[in-house]
Amino acid sequence: MTRTAIVTGAARGIGAAVAARLADDGLDVALIDLDSDGCAAGVRRINDAGGRALAIGADVSRADDVAGAVTRVAEELGPPTVLVNNAGIIRDNLLFKMSEDDWDSVLGVHLRGAFLMSRAVQEHMTRLRSGRIINLSSTSALGNRGQANYSAAKAGMQGFTKTLAIELGKFGVTVNAIAPGLIATDMTAGTARRLGMSVEDFYAAAAEQTAVGRVGRPEDIAHVASFLASEGASFVSGQVIYVSGGPAD
Ligand code: NAD
């Protein structure tokens, strides 16, 4: 039976690459994002390559959006048994300048979003005794200047991952986290601009600090997500895999 995956934040960047890779692996894929046009473009690319996909515009931090999206996926593609909690935002500021909105919005998308999505999807996974939940953490979980909100959220994703792994393991559901280093996407291009640097200079400086001498590509993360989503990875659970071109700290 064809498996169905959900990838959040799939309109661009890492999420778009993960969705395309899981479709290449033979899964049906639902692309969920605030940006429904971006998802629709991803669906067209997957369909053109011979896959089957569905675009859904939804805000993962809203319980009603999440419930509606997961119901649609189950009805239109089939019960989801792979979930990639990838949707994310940054609102960087040093602590003394960080607003309550900076804090709440970042924790709302990453942590509340992953919680709501996982709670909605686990019903299908536990019923079918099969599931893979993959959460996007970050090397920022280990601490990063100007990212008190984001690093707290990404460290939170790791605790969330390990706890779900313990709760859901006996139902055939594995739960793991990927913690990327710097990946070239719109998110990090935005950081470069905020720091007043060209994107090229920003990436070149980061590459110099990285053991393998380059920054990451969305496909680097998609490759690891593909492994964790595979049926053969059923004995890997509760792990945080740093995908950062070198040791994480
Ligand atoms: P990106 O900004 O390019 O894409 C994020 C996507 O998430 C966007 O399409 C956006 O519309 C969507 N999104 C934001 N809020 C949403 C919401 N409430 N509901 C639904 N969709 C929403 O980011 P990216 O670089 O591709 O990052 C993807 C994930 O990987 C994020 O969780 C990010 O924190 C994490 N990450 C990225 C890097 C990096 O260097 N790019 C490093 C570590 C971790």
mmCIF file of all heavy atoms in Angstrom, residues 9 11-15 32-35 58-61 86-89 109-110 136-138 150 154 180-183 185-188, ligand 1:
data_model
loop_
_atom_site.group_PDB
_atom_site.id
_atom_site.type_symbol
_atom_site.label_atom_id
_atom_site.label_comp_id
_atom_site.label_asym_id
_atom_site.label_seq_id
_atom_site.Cartn_x
_atom_site.Cartn_y
_atom_site.Cartn_z
ATOM 1 N N GLY A 9 5.321 23.405 6.150
ATOM 2 C CA GLY A 9 6.290 24.403 5.680
ATOM 3 C C GLY A 9 6.906 23.972 4.353
ATOM 4 O O GLY A 9 8.077 24.215 4.083
ATOM 5 N N ALA A 11 6.225 24.853 1.224
ATOM 6 C CA ALA A 11 6.134 25.724 0.040
ATOM 7 C C ALA A 11 7.505 26.052 -0.536
ATOM 8 O O ALA A 11 7.622 26.411 -1.707
ATOM 9 C CB ALA A 11 5.400 27.012 0.402
ATOM 10 N N ARG A 12 8.544 25.952 0.278
ATOM 11 C CA ARG A 12 9.880 26.343 -0.201
ATOM 12 C C ARG A 12 10.939 25.717 0.711
ATOM 13 O O ARG A 12 10.609 25.038 1.699
ATOM 14 C CB ARG A 12 10.023 27.867 -0.193
ATOM 15 C CG ARG A 12 9.989 28.448 1.212
ATOM 16 C CD ARG A 12 10.027 29.960 1.207
ATOM 17 N NE ARG A 12 10.399 30.456 2.517
ATOM 18 C CZ ARG A 12 10.309 31.713 2.912
ATOM 19 N NH1 ARG A 12 9.828 32.623 2.074
ATOM 20 N NH2 ARG A 12 10.697 32.082 4.117
ATOM 21 N N GLY A 13 12.190 25.948 0.388
ATOM 22 C CA GLY A 13 13.300 25.596 1.271
ATOM 23 C C GLY A 13 13.375 24.108 1.597
ATOM 24 O O GLY A 13 13.154 23.242 0.743
ATOM 25 N N ILE A 14 13.688 23.838 2.852
ATOM 26 C CA ILE A 14 13.891 22.455 3.290
ATOM 27 C C ILE A 14 12.609 21.634 3.111
ATOM 28 O O ILE A 14 12.656 20.497 2.644
ATOM 29 C CB ILE A 14 14.352 22.440 4.767
ATOM 30 C CG1 ILE A 14 15.756 23.057 4.878
ATOM 31 C CG2 ILE A 14 14.329 21.034 5.338
ATOM 32 C CD1 ILE A 14 16.226 23.313 6.319
ATOM 33 N N GLY A 15 11.479 22.208 3.471
ATOM 34 C CA GLY A 15 10.215 21.470 3.372
ATOM 35 C C GLY A 15 9.905 21.059 1.940
ATOM 36 O O GLY A 15 9.446 19.927 1.685
ATOM 37 N N ILE A 32 1.818 21.183 3.202
ATOM 38 C CA ILE A 32 1.036 22.137 4.000
ATOM 39 C C ILE A 32 1.897 23.357 4.283
ATOM 40 O O ILE A 32 3.064 23.237 4.663
ATOM 41 C CB ILE A 32 0.581 21.487 5.326
ATOM 42 C CG1 ILE A 32 -0.386 20.327 5.038
ATOM 43 C CG2 ILE A 32 -0.064 22.521 6.248
ATOM 44 C CD1 ILE A 32 -0.905 19.614 6.280
ATOM 45 N N ASP A 33 1.305 24.532 4.091
ATOM 46 C CA ASP A 33 2.054 25.773 4.341
ATOM 47 C C ASP A 33 1.049 26.920 4.400
ATOM 48 O O ASP A 33 -0.050 26.829 3.856
ATOM 49 C CB ASP A 33 3.049 26.026 3.195
ATOM 50 C CG ASP A 33 4.210 26.948 3.597
ATOM 51 O OD1 ASP A 33 3.962 28.148 3.833
ATOM 52 O OD2 ASP A 33 5.351 26.456 3.660
ATOM 53 N N LEU A 34 1.452 28.023 5.030
ATOM 54 C CA LEU A 34 0.665 29.263 4.942
ATOM 55 C C LEU A 34 0.558 29.687 3.478
ATOM 56 O O LEU A 34 -0.454 30.254 3.059
ATOM 57 C CB LEU A 34 1.380 30.395 5.696
ATOM 58 C CG LEU A 34 1.436 30.342 7.215
ATOM 59 C CD1 LEU A 34 2.339 31.464 7.728
ATOM 60 C CD2 LEU A 34 0.039 30.472 7.799
ATOM 61 N N ASP A 35 1.616 29.446 2.721
ATOM 62 C CA ASP A 35 1.723 29.862 1.315
ATOM 63 C C ASP A 35 1.174 28.743 0.423
ATOM 64 O O ASP A 35 1.906 27.848 0.010
ATOM 65 C CB ASP A 35 3.203 30.157 1.017
ATOM 66 C CG ASP A 35 3.474 30.413 -0.451
ATOM 67 O OD1 ASP A 35 2.511 30.558 -1.232
ATOM 68 O OD2 ASP A 35 4.674 30.455 -0.809
ATOM 69 N N ALA A 58 -2.569 26.152 5.218
ATOM 70 C CA ALA A 58 -2.986 26.077 6.623
ATOM 71 C C ALA A 58 -1.903 26.658 7.508
ATOM 72 O O ALA A 58 -0.724 26.662 7.153
ATOM 73 C CB ALA A 58 -3.251 24.621 7.031
ATOM 74 N N ASP A 59 -2.343 27.140 8.680
ATOM 75 C CA ASP A 59 -1.421 27.646 9.702
ATOM 76 C C ASP A 59 -1.276 26.550 10.764
ATOM 77 O O ASP A 59 -2.254 26.234 11.454
ATOM 78 C CB ASP A 59 -2.021 28.927 10.308
ATOM 79 C CG ASP A 59 -1.141 29.547 11.388
ATOM 80 O OD1 ASP A 59 -0.252 28.844 11.921
ATOM 81 O OD2 ASP A 59 -1.357 30.730 11.700
ATOM 82 N N VAL A 60 -0.074 25.999 10.900
ATOM 83 C CA VAL A 60 0.100 24.859 11.816
ATOM 84 C C VAL A 60 -0.078 25.243 13.284
ATOM 85 O O VAL A 60 -0.222 24.364 14.133
ATOM 86 C CB VAL A 60 1.471 24.148 11.630
ATOM 87 C CG1 VAL A 60 1.596 23.528 10.257
ATOM 88 C CG2 VAL A 60 2.637 25.092 11.938
ATOM 89 N N SER A 61 -0.070 26.533 13.595
ATOM 90 C CA SER A 61 -0.249 26.928 14.990
ATOM 91 C C SER A 61 -1.721 27.095 15.360
ATOM 92 O O SER A 61 -2.043 27.436 16.488
ATOM 93 C CB SER A 61 0.531 28.213 15.288
ATOM 94 O OG SER A 61 -0.023 29.303 14.600
ATOM 95 N N ASN A 86 8.157 20.637 9.893
ATOM 96 C CA ASN A 86 9.237 21.476 9.359
ATOM 97 C C ASN A 86 8.897 22.971 9.353
ATOM 98 O O ASN A 86 9.801 23.803 9.305
ATOM 99 C CB ASN A 86 9.547 20.989 7.935
ATOM 100 C CG ASN A 86 10.393 21.956 7.149
ATOM 101 O OD1 ASN A 86 11.622 21.977 7.274
ATOM 102 N ND2 ASN A 86 9.745 22.793 6.315
ATOM 103 N N ALA A 87 7.614 23.326 9.415
ATOM 104 C CA ALA A 87 7.230 24.747 9.322
ATOM 105 C C ALA A 87 7.976 25.545 10.384
ATOM 106 O O ALA A 87 8.094 25.110 11.533
ATOM 107 C CB ALA A 87 5.723 24.904 9.519
ATOM 108 N N GLY A 88 8.481 26.705 9.994
ATOM 109 C CA GLY A 88 9.220 27.481 10.982
ATOM 110 C C GLY A 88 9.386 28.930 10.588
ATOM 111 O O GLY A 88 9.265 29.297 9.414
ATOM 112 N N ILE A 89 9.644 29.746 11.596
ATOM 113 C CA ILE A 89 9.931 31.167 11.388
ATOM 114 C C ILE A 89 11.049 31.564 12.346
ATOM 115 O O ILE A 89 11.302 30.878 13.338
ATOM 116 C CB ILE A 89 8.698 32.063 11.667
ATOM 117 C CG1 ILE A 89 8.164 31.854 13.095
ATOM 118 C CG2 ILE A 89 7.600 31.804 10.651
ATOM 119 C CD1 ILE A 89 7.126 32.877 13.526
ATOM 120 N N VAL A 109 4.752 28.647 16.271
ATOM 121 C CA VAL A 109 4.867 27.890 15.014
ATOM 122 C C VAL A 109 5.627 26.586 15.244
ATOM 123 O O VAL A 109 5.156 25.502 14.874
ATOM 124 C CB VAL A 109 5.552 28.725 13.905
ATOM 125 C CG1 VAL A 109 5.728 27.885 12.645
ATOM 126 C CG2 VAL A 109 4.744 29.983 13.606
ATOM 127 N N HIS A 110 6.800 26.678 15.885
ATOM 128 C CA HIS A 110 7.632 25.473 15.996
ATOM 129 C C HIS A 110 7.028 24.465 16.977
ATOM 130 O O HIS A 110 6.804 23.305 16.616
ATOM 131 C CB HIS A 110 9.049 25.839 16.460
ATOM 132 C CG HIS A 110 9.794 26.656 15.466
ATOM 133 N ND1 HIS A 110 10.519 26.119 14.444
ATOM 134 C CD2 HIS A 110 9.907 28.002 15.315
ATOM 135 C CE1 HIS A 110 11.054 27.076 13.711
ATOM 136 N NE2 HIS A 110 10.703 28.233 14.225
ATOM 137 N N LEU A 136 11.950 19.039 12.892
ATOM 138 C CA LEU A 136 13.121 19.857 12.566
ATOM 139 C C LEU A 136 13.562 20.626 13.800
ATOM 140 O O LEU A 136 12.850 21.520 14.275
ATOM 141 C CB LEU A 136 12.784 20.823 11.415
ATOM 142 C CG LEU A 136 13.118 20.326 9.995
ATOM 143 C CD1 LEU A 136 14.624 20.247 9.778
ATOM 144 C CD2 LEU A 136 12.505 18.974 9.713
ATOM 145 N N SER A 137 14.736 20.244 14.323
ATOM 146 C CA SER A 137 15.387 21.025 15.363
ATOM 147 C C SER A 137 16.414 21.910 14.671
ATOM 148 O O SER A 137 16.218 22.313 13.515
ATOM 149 C CB SER A 137 16.007 20.086 16.401
ATOM 150 O OG SER A 137 16.666 20.809 17.417
ATOM 151 N N SER A 138 17.529 22.196 15.320
ATOM 152 C CA SER A 138 18.555 23.065 14.732
ATOM 153 C C SER A 138 19.790 23.022 15.616
ATOM 154 O O SER A 138 19.675 22.780 16.836
ATOM 155 C CB SER A 138 18.039 24.509 14.677
ATOM 156 O OG SER A 138 19.098 25.413 14.391
ATOM 157 N N TYR A 150 14.131 31.186 19.355
ATOM 158 C CA TYR A 150 14.314 30.089 18.396
ATOM 159 C C TYR A 150 15.091 28.931 19.030
ATOM 160 O O TYR A 150 14.740 27.762 18.835
ATOM 161 C CB TYR A 150 15.052 30.645 17.179
ATOM 162 C CG TYR A 150 15.244 29.698 16.027
ATOM 163 C CD1 TYR A 150 14.193 29.407 15.150
ATOM 164 C CD2 TYR A 150 16.486 29.123 15.771
ATOM 165 C CE1 TYR A 150 14.392 28.562 14.069
ATOM 166 C CE2 TYR A 150 16.685 28.290 14.691
ATOM 167 C CZ TYR A 150 15.638 28.008 13.846
ATOM 168 O OH TYR A 150 15.838 27.180 12.767
ATOM 169 N N LYS A 154 13.827 25.188 19.451
ATOM 170 C CA LYS A 154 14.506 24.053 18.813
ATOM 171 C C LYS A 154 15.034 23.055 19.840
ATOM 172 O O LYS A 154 15.134 21.868 19.560
ATOM 173 C CB LYS A 154 15.628 24.560 17.895
ATOM 174 C CG LYS A 154 15.109 25.303 16.661
ATOM 175 C CD LYS A 154 14.044 24.503 15.918
ATOM 176 C CE LYS A 154 13.869 24.922 14.471
ATOM 177 N NZ LYS A 154 12.725 24.199 13.830
ATOM 178 N N PRO A 180 19.620 20.652 11.654
ATOM 179 C CA PRO A 180 20.533 21.150 10.618
ATOM 180 C C PRO A 180 21.426 22.271 11.125
ATOM 181 O O PRO A 180 21.062 23.023 12.038
ATOM 182 C CB PRO A 180 19.576 21.714 9.545
ATOM 183 C CG PRO A 180 18.208 21.200 9.889
ATOM 184 C CD PRO A 180 18.220 21.008 11.375
ATOM 185 N N GLY A 181 22.593 22.367 10.494
ATOM 186 C CA GLY A 181 23.400 23.581 10.603
ATOM 187 C C GLY A 181 22.880 24.577 9.587
ATOM 188 O O GLY A 181 21.694 24.561 9.242
ATOM 189 N N LEU A 182 23.765 25.423 9.093
ATOM 190 C CA LEU A 182 23.276 26.459 8.167
ATOM 191 C C LEU A 182 22.966 25.863 6.789
ATOM 192 O O LEU A 182 23.830 25.286 6.138
ATOM 193 C CB LEU A 182 24.315 27.574 8.021
ATOM 194 C CG LEU A 182 23.740 28.843 7.358
ATOM 195 C CD1 LEU A 182 24.423 30.072 7.899
ATOM 196 C CD2 LEU A 182 23.865 28.807 5.848
ATOM 197 N N ILE A 183 21.711 26.017 6.371
ATOM 198 C CA ILE A 183 21.258 25.520 5.063
ATOM 199 C C ILE A 183 20.874 26.734 4.221
ATOM 200 O O ILE A 183 20.209 27.659 4.715
ATOM 201 C CB ILE A 183 20.017 24.598 5.235
ATOM 202 C CG1 ILE A 183 20.249 23.520 6.313
ATOM 203 C CG2 ILE A 183 19.632 23.987 3.898
ATOM 204 C CD1 ILE A 183 21.350 22.532 6.045
ATOM 205 N N THR A 185 18.735 28.723 2.318
ATOM 206 C CA THR A 185 17.298 28.866 2.028
ATOM 207 C C THR A 185 16.932 30.347 2.185
ATOM 208 O O THR A 185 17.752 31.162 2.621
ATOM 209 C CB THR A 185 16.418 28.071 3.030
ATOM 210 O OG1 THR A 185 16.558 28.672 4.319
ATOM 211 C CG2 THR A 185 16.793 26.602 3.101
ATOM 212 N N ASP A 186 15.682 30.669 1.900
ATOM 213 C CA ASP A 186 15.214 32.051 2.100
ATOM 214 C C ASP A 186 15.389 32.499 3.546
ATOM 215 O O ASP A 186 15.628 33.674 3.816
ATOM 216 C CB ASP A 186 13.729 32.169 1.729
ATOM 217 C CG ASP A 186 13.508 32.060 0.232
ATOM 218 O OD1 ASP A 186 14.505 32.072 -0.519
ATOM 219 O OD2 ASP A 186 12.343 31.933 -0.182
ATOM 220 N N MET A 187 15.238 31.528 4.479
ATOM 221 C CA MET A 187 15.353 31.883 5.903
ATOM 222 C C MET A 187 16.746 32.444 6.207
ATOM 223 O O MET A 187 16.888 33.507 6.819
ATOM 224 C CB MET A 187 15.072 30.660 6.781
ATOM 225 C CG MET A 187 15.138 30.938 8.265
ATOM 226 S SD MET A 187 14.816 29.470 9.285
ATOM 227 C CE MET A 187 13.040 29.490 9.406
ATOM 228 N N THR A 188 17.799 31.753 5.753
ATOM 229 C CA THR A 188 19.155 32.205 6.068
ATOM 230 C C THR A 188 19.580 33.364 5.174
ATOM 231 O O THR A 188 20.383 34.205 5.594
ATOM 232 C CB THR A 188 20.152 31.029 5.976
ATOM 233 O OG1 THR A 188 19.925 30.305 4.757
ATOM 234 C CG2 THR A 188 19.986 30.078 7.139
HETATM 235 P P1 NAD B 1 11.945 28.877 5.053
HETATM 236 O O1 NAD B 1 11.664 30.162 5.729
HETATM 237 O O2 NAD B 1 12.632 28.898 3.732
HETATM 238 O O3 NAD B 1 10.597 28.028 4.914
HETATM 239 C C1 NAD B 1 9.724 27.870 6.005
HETATM 240 C C2 NAD B 1 8.334 27.600 5.495
HETATM 241 O O4 NAD B 1 7.478 27.461 6.626
HETATM 242 C C3 NAD B 1 7.792 28.771 4.644
HETATM 243 O O5 NAD B 1 7.287 28.282 3.414
HETATM 244 C C4 NAD B 1 6.689 29.351 5.532
HETATM 245 O O6 NAD B 1 5.595 29.899 4.797
HETATM 246 C C5 NAD B 1 6.255 28.127 6.339
HETATM 247 N N1 NAD B 1 5.556 28.517 7.563
HETATM 248 C C6 NAD B 1 5.923 29.475 8.455
HETATM 249 N N2 NAD B 1 5.003 29.574 9.435
HETATM 250 C C7 NAD B 1 4.034 28.673 9.148
HETATM 251 C C8 NAD B 1 2.811 28.309 9.783
HETATM 252 N N3 NAD B 1 2.393 28.922 10.914
HETATM 253 N N4 NAD B 1 2.053 27.336 9.218
HETATM 254 C C9 NAD B 1 2.445 26.738 8.072
HETATM 255 N N5 NAD B 1 3.581 27.045 7.424
HETATM 256 C C10 NAD B 1 4.373 27.997 7.960
HETATM 257 O O7 NAD B 1 12.783 28.004 6.121
HETATM 258 P P2 NAD B 1 13.794 26.776 5.931
HETATM 259 O O8 NAD B 1 15.172 27.313 6.004
HETATM 260 O O9 NAD B 1 13.388 25.917 4.781
HETATM 261 O O10 NAD B 1 13.553 26.015 7.326
HETATM 262 C C11 NAD B 1 12.685 24.899 7.458
HETATM 263 C C12 NAD B 1 12.801 24.352 8.877
HETATM 264 O O11 NAD B 1 14.156 23.989 9.134
HETATM 265 C C13 NAD B 1 12.416 25.346 9.957
HETATM 266 O O12 NAD B 1 11.793 24.672 11.020
HETATM 267 C C14 NAD B 1 13.749 25.894 10.388
HETATM 268 O O13 NAD B 1 13.690 26.417 11.683
HETATM 269 C C15 NAD B 1 14.603 24.654 10.290
HETATM 270 N N6 NAD B 1 16.027 24.933 10.170
HETATM 271 C C16 NAD B 1 16.520 25.660 9.138
HETATM 272 C C17 NAD B 1 17.880 25.908 9.047
HETATM 273 C C18 NAD B 1 18.490 26.704 7.938
HETATM 274 O O14 NAD B 1 19.704 27.000 8.021
HETATM 275 N N7 NAD B 1 17.753 27.066 6.883
HETATM 276 C C19 NAD B 1 18.741 25.415 10.048
HETATM 277 C C20 NAD B 1 18.190 24.681 11.094
HETATM 278 C C21 NAD B 1 16.841 24.428 11.143
#
